[in-house]
Amino acid sequence: MRLAEAWRVALEALRANRLRSLLTMLGVVIGVAAVVALVGIGTGTKQQIEQQVEGLGSNLLIVVPGRLEAGAAPTSSPLTLDDVDAVSRIVGDPSRVAVTISSGETVRAGRNTGFASMQGVLETTPDVFVRRLDRGTYLTRTDVSTGRRVAVLGAGLAGTLFGERDPIGRQITIGGVRFRVIGTFEQLGQSLGVDRDGEVHVPVTAAQRLLGTERIDGLAIRAPDRERIGALSSAVVAALADRHPDTDFSAVTQEQILGVLGDILGVLTGVLAAIAGISLLVGGVGVSNIMLVSVRERTREIGLRKAVGARPRDIGVQFLLEAVLLTTTGGVLGMLLGGSAAILVDRLSPVPAALTWWSMALAFGVSAVVGIVFGVVPAQRAGRLDPVVALRTE
Amino acid sequence: MTAPAIVATDVTRTYELDGLSVPALRGVSLTVAAGDYVAIVGASGSGKSTLMHLLGGLDRPTGGTLLIGGQDVSRLSPTEMAHLRNTTIGFVFQSFHLLSRTTAQDNVGLPLVYRGAGRRERRARAAAMLDRVGLAHRMTHRPNQMSGGEQQRVAIARALVTGPSVLLADEPTGNLDSTTGQAVLALLESLNADGVAVVLVTHDREVAARAHRQIVMRDGLIA
């Protein structure tokens, strides 16, 4: 039998039982749609986080006290600004080194109050990380060296405190201490679940005085090029370990952060896809079930086809194609449905979603495989029917 | 003289039912010559249906030898048996066995599907065959739009479309009134006159009497 003919016969059989075919297909449609939509959301989230981590700046090396291991106890930082000078000498360019000491503080402007993440920083921060100003100016070297009480507000915080008014030159208090606003950041949005528009940057020296400490939490280095990150990392960690023999130091690169996050999100996406895959499997069982019913219903037809010369293979192929046609049509519909769902989620909710050609191709391929796997048993049963028995069936 | 279409020698067929051996045929020898017109008669349970299934290559004997178109069926695989049925045998059933959602033309063309013929060729040959059985005007009708006699003529056209050497007809008039039955028998006889061997299975003595010879079955044996 020609394959084109077999397809025609399969299509004919599905058309003859339109409602049943549609309902059977629905199981596959839902399964494939779920896989495509959930993988789309997983991929979108992953892409967004990657963009954010890359948006921190390129060739970044972040140095913190403590070990970066699961289960490691948090370590209090022994680092001071003297350590930063030592690191700057190793790097050879102080403008490539940034520090932070951060603390959650209440910020007030007139009658308005906000809660902000205060970041004590050097004037180098915009060069090391990517931060753009909306208005005003950033901190200067003099601001840092003299511990001047000036502040740069995140877009969200500026809105909370000043609304539509221009905050530049106005007074605010951070933890009860007066600061003058000299600039505001461009809006950034969420990054790794942290609202970065709620930050306020002040000179590290001023922050230390406010918090009554000489310490800093950690530092970040922007390496001149990718190749030197490794050497720089070990040199800095060695120098700091030398200065603070009691403390371990860890240095992580963006690539390491991305790797770890990517692994976690990959597993999450995989788990989502697997759960969705189970519904696809259930859809497949439905297909198998209906195909067995179809074989039973058409026993006389099978007997007649065999009597006029259909080989066992011809009959088997006919039923297998019917199952595959069911699941692949369901697969295409599921792809459209899941894809539309992902696009809607992306547009209408804060959850990002991205459609990838491979998830679509995979879902379609899996639906075809489901058809073959769950169609093969009914098809074999049909192919092996004894024509004498089949012809006698009422 | 042309080789016989079917030669059965001491053929037996035993069914295994729940561990019991039930003999349906107990040693039947029979030759269907080319162009023969044979009636197989007998009461129900006499083994005539079993014999017809064997002669048509739908089933295999448990013992003895059966040659269809010169081929020993005990040596053929299910696929080869299918090919044999497709090329040498034409079946006509009591209940017609037409595909209900399919036109007369495509019902007749069905056997050609299994020899890989394209749709155009199938339709052309089916049209010629429907013309031969006097149904040229029923080409695009479906079975439920035709009378019983017309349906049986479609079935005969389907049996003929592959150019078989033997037509096996199992109670072909059983579901028809006597006038229509006579017309169907007349059609079979005119085909026989053109050289196709006809084997008629029936319990109707009158129908059987029209054949050139009768084989009477009783208890799995030729009486």
Coordinates of all heavy atoms in Angstrom, one line a residue, chain A residues 1-2 5 8 12-13 16 300-301 304-312 314-315 318 386-388 391-392, chain B residues 15 53 58-59 78-79 82-83 85-86 91 93 95 97 99 101 110-111 113-114 116-119 122 158:
Chain A
M1 N 0.8 -1.2 0.0 CA 0.0 0.0 0.0 C 0.9 1.3 0.0 O 1.9 1.3 0.7 CB -0.9 0.0 1.3 CG -1.8 1.2 1.3 SD -3.2 1.1 2.5 CE -2.4 0.7 4.0
R2 N 0.5 2.2 -0.8 CA 1.3 3.5 -0.8 C 1.0 4.3 0.5 O -0.1 4.2 1.0 CB 0.8 4.3 -2.0 CG 1.2 3.7 -3.3 CD 0.9 4.7 -4.4 NE 1.2 4.0 -5.7 CZ 1.1 4.7 -6.9 NH1 0.6 5.9 -6.9 NH2 1.5 4.1 -8.0
E5 N -1.8 6.8 0.4 CA -3.1 6.2 0.6 C -3.4 5.9 2.1 O -4.5 6.1 2.6 CB -3.1 4.9 -0.2 CG -4.4 4.1 -0.2 CD -5.5 4.9 -1.0 OE1 -5.1 5.8 -1.8 OE2 -6.6 4.6 -0.7
R8 N -4.4 8.9 3.8 CA -5.8 9.3 3.4 C -6.8 8.4 4.2 O -7.8 9.0 4.7 CB -6.0 9.0 1.9 CG -7.0 9.9 1.3 CD -7.1 9.6 -0.2 NE -7.5 8.2 -0.4 CZ -8.7 7.7 -0.2 NH1 -9.7 8.5 0.2 NH2 -9.0 6.4 -0.4
E12 N -9.5 9.8 7.0 CA -10.9 9.5 6.8 C -11.5 8.9 8.1 O -12.6 9.2 8.5 CB -10.9 8.4 5.6 CG -12.3 8.2 5.0 CD -12.8 9.5 4.3 OE1 -11.9 10.2 3.7 OE2 -14.0 9.8 4.4
A13 N -10.7 8.0 8.7 CA -11.2 7.3 9.9 C -11.4 8.3 11.0 O -12.3 8.2 11.8 CB -10.2 6.2 10.3
A16 N -14.4 10.4 10.5 CA -15.7 9.7 10.7 C -16.2 9.8 12.1 O -17.3 9.7 12.4 CB -15.5 8.2 10.2
R300 N -14.5 -5.9 11.4 CA -15.1 -6.4 10.1 C -14.3 -5.8 9.0 O -14.0 -6.4 8.0 CB -16.5 -6.1 10.0 CG -17.4 -7.2 10.6 CD -18.8 -6.6 10.8 NE -19.5 -6.3 9.5 CZ -20.2 -7.1 8.7 NH1 -20.3 -8.4 9.1 NH2 -20.7 -6.7 7.6
E301 N -14.1 -4.5 9.1 CA -13.4 -3.7 8.0 C -12.0 -4.3 7.9 O -11.5 -4.5 6.8 CB -13.3 -2.3 8.4 CG -12.5 -1.5 7.3 CD -12.2 0.0 7.8 OE1 -13.0 0.5 8.5 OE2 -11.1 0.5 7.4
L304 N -12.2 -7.6 6.1 CA -12.5 -7.4 4.7 C -11.2 -7.0 3.9 O -10.8 -7.5 2.9 CB -13.6 -6.4 4.5 CG -14.1 -6.1 3.1 CD1 -13.4 -4.9 2.4 CD2 -14.1 -7.3 2.1
R305 N -10.5 -6.0 4.5 CA -9.2 -5.5 3.9 C -8.2 -6.7 3.8 O -7.5 -6.8 2.8 CB -8.6 -4.4 4.7 CG -9.4 -3.1 4.6 CD -8.8 -2.0 5.4 NE -9.6 -0.7 5.3 CZ -9.4 0.2 4.4 NH1 -8.4 0.0 3.5 NH2 -10.1 1.3 4.3
K306 N -8.2 -7.5 4.8 CA -7.2 -8.7 4.7 C -7.7 -9.6 3.7 O -6.9 -10.2 2.9 CB -7.2 -9.4 6.1 CG -6.4 -8.6 7.1 CD -6.0 -9.4 8.3 CE -4.7 -8.9 8.9 NZ -4.2 -9.8 9.9
A307 N -9.0 -9.9 3.5 CA -9.5 -10.8 2.5 C -9.1 -10.3 1.1 O -8.8 -11.2 0.3 CB -11.0 -11.0 2.7
V308 N -9.1 -9.0 0.9 CA -8.8 -8.6 -0.4 C -7.3 -8.3 -0.6 O -7.0 -7.8 -1.7 CB -9.6 -7.3 -0.9 CG1 -11.1 -7.6 -0.8 CG2 -9.3 -6.1 0.0
G309 N -6.5 -8.7 0.4 CA -5.1 -8.7 0.1 C -4.3 -7.7 1.0 O -3.1 -7.6 0.7
A310 N -4.8 -7.1 2.0 CA -4.0 -6.3 2.9 C -3.1 -7.2 3.7 O -3.5 -8.2 4.3 CB -4.9 -5.5 3.8
R311 N -1.8 -6.8 3.7 CA -0.8 -7.6 4.5 C -1.0 -7.1 6.0 O -1.5 -6.0 6.2 CB 0.6 -7.3 4.1 CG 0.9 -7.8 2.7 CD 2.1 -7.2 2.1 NE 2.0 -5.7 2.0 CZ 3.0 -4.9 1.7 NH1 4.2 -5.4 1.5 NH2 2.9 -3.6 1.5
P312 N -0.5 -7.9 7.0 CA -0.5 -7.5 8.4 C 0.1 -6.1 8.5 O -0.4 -5.3 9.3 CB 0.3 -8.6 9.1 CG 0.2 -9.8 8.2 CD 0.0 -9.3 6.8
D314 N 0.2 -3.7 6.3 CA -0.6 -2.6 5.8 C -1.6 -2.1 6.8 O -1.9 -1.0 7.0 CB -1.4 -3.1 4.5 CG -0.5 -3.4 3.4 OD1 0.5 -2.6 3.2 OD2 -0.7 -4.3 2.6
I315 N -2.2 -3.1 7.5 CA -3.2 -2.8 8.5 C -2.6 -2.1 9.7 O -3.1 -1.1 10.2 CB -3.9 -4.1 9.0 CG1 -4.6 -4.8 7.8 CG2 -4.9 -3.8 10.1 CD1 -5.8 -4.1 7.3
Q318 N -1.7 1.4 8.9 CA -2.9 2.2 8.8 C -3.3 2.7 10.2 O -3.6 3.9 10.4 CB -4.1 1.4 8.2 CG -5.4 2.2 8.1 CD -6.5 1.3 7.7 OE1 -6.4 0.3 7.0 NE2 -7.7 1.6 8.3
D386 N -7.0 -12.4 13.0 CA -7.2 -13.6 12.1 C -8.4 -13.1 11.1 O -9.5 -12.8 11.6 CB -7.6 -14.8 12.9 CG -7.9 -16.0 12.1 OD1 -8.0 -15.8 10.8 OD2 -8.1 -17.1 12.6
P387 N -8.2 -13.1 9.8 CA -9.2 -12.6 8.9 C -10.5 -13.4 9.0 O -11.6 -12.8 8.9 CB -8.6 -12.8 7.5 CG -7.4 -13.7 7.7 CD -6.9 -13.5 9.1
V388 N -10.4 -14.7 9.3 CA -11.6 -15.5 9.4 C -12.5 -15.0 10.6 O -13.7 -14.8 10.4 CB -11.3 -17.0 9.6 CG1 -12.6 -17.8 9.9 CG2 -10.6 -17.5 8.3
L391 N -13.9 -11.4 9.9 CA -15.0 -11.4 9.0 C -16.3 -11.8 9.6 O -17.4 -11.3 9.3 CB -14.7 -12.2 7.8 CG -13.8 -11.6 6.7 CD1 -13.4 -12.7 5.7 CD2 -14.5 -10.4 6.0
R392 N -16.2 -12.7 10.6 CA -17.4 -13.2 11.3 C -18.0 -12.3 12.3 O -19.1 -12.4 12.7 CB -17.0 -14.6 12.0 CG -17.6 -15.8 11.3 CD -17.5 -17.0 12.2 NE -16.7 -18.0 11.6 CZ -15.7 -18.6 12.1 NH1 -15.3 -18.4 13.3 NH2 -15.1 -19.6 11.4
Chain B
Y15 N -9.8 -27.2 15.1 CA -9.7 -26.0 16.0 C -9.4 -26.5 17.4 O -9.8 -27.5 17.9 CB -11.0 -25.3 16.0 CG -11.4 -24.7 14.6 CD1 -12.3 -25.3 13.8 CD2 -10.7 -23.5 14.2 CE1 -12.6 -24.7 12.5 CE2 -11.0 -23.0 13.0 CZ -11.9 -23.6 12.1 OH -12.2 -23.0 10.9
H53 N -13.0 -21.0 3.6 CA -11.9 -20.2 4.1 C -10.6 -20.7 3.7 O -9.6 -20.0 3.4 CB -12.0 -20.1 5.7 CG -13.2 -19.3 6.1 ND1 -13.9 -19.6 7.2 CD2 -13.8 -18.2 5.6 CE1 -14.9 -18.7 7.4 NE2 -14.8 -17.9 6.4
L58 N -7.7 -17.8 3.4 CA -7.9 -17.0 4.7 C -7.4 -17.8 5.9 O -7.2 -17.2 6.9 CB -9.3 -16.6 4.9 CG -9.9 -15.6 3.9 CD1 -11.4 -15.5 4.1 CD2 -9.3 -14.2 4.2
D59 N -7.3 -19.1 5.7 CA -6.9 -20.0 6.8 C -6.0 -21.0 6.3 O -5.9 -21.2 5.0 CB -8.2 -20.6 7.3 CG -8.1 -21.2 8.7 OD1 -7.0 -21.1 9.3 OD2 -9.1 -21.9 9.2
P78 N 2.2 -15.0 6.4 CA 0.9 -14.3 6.3 C 1.0 -13.2 5.2 O 0.0 -12.9 4.6 CB 0.9 -13.6 7.7 CG 1.6 -14.5 8.6 CD 2.7 -15.1 7.8
T79 N 2.2 -12.6 5.0 CA 2.3 -11.6 4.0 C 2.1 -12.2 2.6 O 1.4 -11.7 1.7 CB 3.7 -10.9 4.1 OG1 3.7 -10.2 5.4 CG2 3.9 -9.9 3.0
A82 N -1.4 -13.0 2.0 CA -2.2 -11.8 1.6 C -2.0 -11.5 0.1 O -3.0 -11.2 -0.6 CB -1.7 -10.6 2.4
H83 N -0.8 -11.7 -0.4 CA -0.5 -11.4 -1.8 C -1.3 -12.4 -2.7 O -1.8 -12.1 -3.7 CB 1.0 -11.5 -2.0 CG 1.4 -11.3 -3.4 ND1 1.3 -10.0 -4.0 CD2 1.8 -12.1 -4.4 CE1 1.7 -10.1 -5.3 NE2 2.0 -11.3 -5.6
R85 N -4.1 -14.0 -1.9 CA -5.5 -13.6 -1.9 C -5.7 -12.5 -2.9 O -6.7 -12.4 -3.6 CB -6.0 -13.2 -0.5 CG -6.0 -14.3 0.5 CD -6.8 -13.9 1.7 NE -6.2 -12.9 2.5 CZ -5.3 -13.1 3.5 NH1 -5.0 -14.3 3.8 NH2 -4.8 -12.1 4.2
N86 N -4.8 -11.5 -2.8 CA -4.9 -10.3 -3.7 C -4.9 -10.6 -5.2 O -5.6 -10.0 -5.9 CB -3.8 -9.3 -3.3 CG -4.1 -8.0 -4.0 OD1 -3.3 -7.6 -4.9 ND2 -5.1 -7.3 -3.6
F91 N -13.4 -12.6 -3.4 CA -14.4 -13.1 -2.4 C -15.7 -12.4 -2.6 O -15.7 -11.1 -2.8 CB -14.0 -12.8 -1.0 CG -12.9 -13.7 -0.5 CD1 -11.5 -13.3 -0.5 CD2 -13.2 -15.0 0.0 CE1 -10.5 -14.2 -0.1 CE2 -12.2 -15.8 0.5 CZ -10.9 -15.4 0.4
F93 N -19.3 -12.1 -0.3 CA -19.8 -12.6 1.0 C -21.4 -12.4 1.0 O -21.9 -11.6 0.3 CB -19.2 -11.7 2.1 CG -17.8 -11.8 2.2 CD1 -17.0 -10.8 1.6 CD2 -17.1 -12.8 2.8 CE1 -15.6 -10.8 1.7 CE2 -15.7 -12.9 2.9 CZ -15.0 -11.9 2.3
S95 N -23.0 -11.0 3.4 CA -23.4 -9.7 3.9 C -22.7 -8.6 3.2 O -22.5 -7.5 3.7 CB -23.2 -9.6 5.4 OG -21.9 -10.0 5.7
H97 N -20.1 -7.0 2.8 CA -18.9 -6.4 3.4 C -18.3 -5.3 2.6 O -17.2 -5.2 2.2 CB -17.8 -7.5 3.4 CG -17.9 -8.3 4.7 ND1 -17.7 -7.8 5.9 CD2 -18.1 -9.7 4.9 CE1 -17.8 -8.8 6.9 NE2 -18.1 -9.9 6.2
L99 N -17.4 -1.1 2.5 CA -17.0 -0.1 3.4 C -18.1 1.0 3.3 O -18.4 1.6 2.2 CB -15.7 0.5 3.1 CG -14.5 -0.4 3.1 CD1 -13.2 0.3 2.8 CD2 -14.4 -1.1 4.5
R101 N -18.7 4.1 4.3 CA -18.5 5.5 4.1 C -17.8 5.8 2.7 O -17.4 6.9 2.4 CB -17.6 6.1 5.2 CG -18.3 6.2 6.5 CD -17.4 6.9 7.5 NE -16.1 6.4 7.7 CZ -15.8 5.4 8.5 NH1 -16.8 4.9 9.3 NH2 -14.6 4.9 8.6
L110 N -10.7 -1.0 -3.9 CA -10.0 -1.3 -2.6 C -8.9 -2.4 -2.8 O -7.7 -2.1 -2.3 CB -11.0 -1.7 -1.5 CG -10.3 -2.0 -0.2 CD1 -9.8 -0.7 0.4 CD2 -11.4 -2.6 0.8
P111 N -9.1 -3.5 -3.4 CA -8.1 -4.5 -3.5 C -6.8 -4.0 -4.3 O -5.7 -4.4 -4.0 CB -8.7 -5.6 -4.3 CG -10.2 -5.5 -4.1 CD -10.4 -4.0 -4.0
V113 N -5.5 -1.1 -3.9 CA -4.7 -0.3 -3.0 C -3.6 -1.2 -2.5 O -2.5 -0.7 -2.4 CB -5.6 0.1 -1.8 CG1 -4.7 0.5 -0.6 CG2 -6.6 1.2 -2.2
Y114 N -3.9 -2.5 -2.3 CA -2.8 -3.4 -1.7 C -1.9 -4.0 -2.7 O -1.1 -4.8 -2.4 CB -3.5 -4.4 -0.9 CG -4.3 -3.8 0.3 CD1 -5.7 -3.8 0.3 CD2 -3.6 -3.1 1.3 CE1 -6.4 -3.1 1.3 CE2 -4.3 -2.5 2.3 CZ -5.7 -2.5 2.3 OH -6.3 -1.8 3.3
G116 N -0.5 -1.5 -4.6 CA 0.2 -0.2 -4.9 C -0.2 0.6 -6.1 O 0.5 1.4 -6.5
A117 N -1.5 0.3 -6.5 CA -2.0 1.1 -7.7 C -2.3 2.5 -7.2 O -2.8 2.7 -6.1 CB -3.2 0.4 -8.3
G118 N -2.1 3.5 -8.1 CA -2.4 4.9 -7.7 C -3.9 5.1 -7.9 O -4.6 4.2 -8.4
R119 N -4.4 6.2 -7.3 CA -5.8 6.4 -7.3 C -6.5 6.5 -8.7 O -7.6 6.0 -8.9 CB -6.1 7.7 -6.5 CG -7.6 8.0 -6.2 CD -7.8 9.4 -5.7 NE -7.7 9.4 -4.3 CZ -8.4 10.3 -3.5 NH1 -9.2 11.2 -4.1 NH2 -8.3 10.2 -2.2
R122 N -6.8 3.0 -10.1 CA -7.8 2.3 -9.4 C -9.2 2.7 -9.8 O -10.1 1.9 -10.1 CB -7.7 2.6 -7.9 CG -6.5 2.0 -7.2 CD -6.7 1.9 -5.7 NE -7.2 3.1 -5.0 CZ -6.4 4.0 -4.5 NH1 -5.1 3.9 -4.5 NH2 -7.0 5.0 -3.9
R158 N -15.8 -5.8 -7.0 CA -14.6 -5.7 -6.2 C -13.8 -7.0 -6.3 O -12.6 -7.0 -6.4 CB -15.0 -5.4 -4.8 CG -13.8 -5.3 -3.8 CD -14.2 -5.0 -2.4 NE -15.0 -6.1 -1.9 CZ -15.8 -6.1 -0.8 NH1 -15.8 -4.9 -0.1 NH2 -16.4 -7.1 -0.4

